[in-house]
Amino acid sequence: MNYQGKTIWITGASSGIGEAFARAFYKEGANLILSSRREDALLEVKDSLGGDTENVKIITLDLTDTETFTMKAKEAIGTFGQIDVLINNGGISQRSMVLESEMSTYRRLMEVNYFGAVGLTKEVLPHMVERQSGHIIVTSSVAGKIGTKFRSGYAASKHAVQGFFNSLRQEMYEHNIAVTLLCPGFIKTNISKNALTGDGSKFGEMGDAHSKAMTADEMVAKVMPKIKAQKEEIYVTGFKEGLAIWVQRISPTLLNKILKNQKVT
């Protein structure tokens, strides 16, 4: 896949994996549309790309405000005339036990991680179907395959993401639209700092596993060849997360025995 002149719309582009994708696709010569809630942070990302950024546009977007999606999608399509790749990357994590987690926290996790991705995709899909071309990429997680302590709502939202986009893929084959689920393990970003606690406040700490993990740029460098090949599911994990996925396939009972004694951060 040659991205020169193609248009890539990235949500959650103000930091972490989204920012790393912006750098990678900018180097490929793509037109970029960067979205998140914070315009100031998006401007910083744009400025950090260096050189000519006429092909980089900003559209602020709150993934919980689904009523704005129709207008935002029209704006995005009109910016460069088309959307070739939509990267649903915006999301939020969780660090709290079920007994201490409020329903409002669970609802926010689902609104951002699941309904945000689904709603925006539904607005872009008719445009891609009309053109009989497109690529939908969704940042899921190893948590979309395995549930662990302190992440019940996060894991639930990512399991839902997996189910929806696996189903969507089946419907899009006839329209020449690819659907890729990206399933990272621990990545060194601020996701744990911004994770929700039981009452919805920010966790505010960098977990040990995240602090020792690969950076977002390292992760994106690993997955770009697979994204270009439009792979349907991409895993990028450390040894432990990769082993956990393998063990679950062989023996879910064994994995549960291992996980119940693990310290999860």
Side-chain angles (χ1 to χ4, degrees):
M1 174 70 71
N2 181 0
Y3 292 106
Q4 184 74 38
K6 301 291 186 182
T7 300
I8 320 294
W9 188 6
I10 308 171
T11 69
S14 58
S15 64
I17 293 172
E19 181 180 357
F21 269 129
R23 280 193 285 270
F25 281 107
Y26 179 79
K27 291 176 183 177
E28 294 280 338
N31 300 318
L32 298 181
I33 300 173
L34 308 181
S35 290
S36 78
R37 290 181 302 164
R38 298 185 298 140
E39 184 176 21
D40 57 339
L42 291 171
L43 287 169
E44 288 180 10
V45 172
K46 180 178 178 178
D47 291 343
S48 74
L49 297 174
D52 183 6
T53 54
E54 271 299 305
N55 64 328
V56 182
K57 304 300 181 182
I58 289 171
I59 297 177
T60 57
L61 178 71
D62 184 340
L63 288 173
T64 66
D65 194 0
T66 54
E67 292 183 357
T68 67
F69 285 5
T70 299
M71 176 187 67
K72 297 290 184 177
K74 286 181 180 178
E75 181 181 355
I77 293 167
T79 300
F80 295 107
Q82 64 193 54
I83 302 294
D84 296 287
V85 182
L86 171 63
I87 303 181
N88 287 296
N89 174 72
I92 192 167
S93 191
Q94 173 200 12
R95 295 295 183 276
S96 59
M97 300 288 279
V98 172
L99 288 173
E100 66 188 30
S101 299
E102 298 176 4
M103 284 303 298
S104 59
T105 299
Y106 285 128
R107 291 184 187 281
R108 179 164 176 77
L109 287 160
M110 290 299 293
E111 283 291 344
V112 174
N113 296 345
Y114 176 71
F115 288 111
V118 170
L120 201 62
T121 297
K122 279 180 60 61
E123 294 295 338
V124 173
L125 269 180
H127 165 73
M128 290 184 171
V129 168
E130 182 180 1
R131 298 178 64 238
Q132 290 291 288
S133 177
H135 191 182
I136 304 291
I137 301 170
V138 190
T139 302
S140 180
S141 171
V142 169
K145 300 289 187 178
I146 299 170
T148 62
K149 300 172 184 175
F150 312 129
R151 291 171 173 82
S152 54
Y154 179 68
S157 68
K158 294 300 185 178
H159 275 68
V161 162
Q162 293 277 151
F164 178 88
F165 285 96
N166 280 333
S167 297
L168 176 66
R169 184 186 299 115
Q170 299 299 317
E171 298 179 13
M172 290 297 109
Y173 283 128
E174 65 182 277
H175 299 294
N176 194 38
I177 297 169
V179 176
T180 295
L181 281 158
L182 175 60
C183 303
F186 294 113
I187 307 297
K188 192 174 184 178
T189 69
N190 287 329
I191 190 167
S192 62
K193 288 185 178 180
N194 294 325
L196 301 182
T197 61
D199 64 4
S201 60
K202 287 186 179 182
F203 183 62
E205 299 177 19
M206 175 77 79
D208 290 342
H210 288 281
S211 64
K212 297 172 184 177
M214 72 181 80
T215 67
D217 287 300
E218 290 170 336
M219 189 217 81
V220 168
K222 286 178 179 289
V223 304
M224 278 299 285
K226 295 180 180 180
I227 285 175
K228 289 180 178 181
Q230 298 186 337
K231 294 292 186 181
E232 295 178 347
E233 195 160 81
I234 303 172
Y235 291 90
V236 53
T237 68
F239 174 76
K240 289 184 178 180
E241 307 100 283
L243 179 61
I245 292 171
W246 182 83
V247 172
Q248 186 189 49
R249 290 171 180 167
I250 303 301
S251 175
T253 299
L254 175 59
L255 180 62
N256 282 325
K257 288 180 179 179
I258 294 170
L259 288 178
K260 74 177 183 179
N261 296 316
Q262 289 288 312
K263 177 185 177 184
V264 184
T265 58

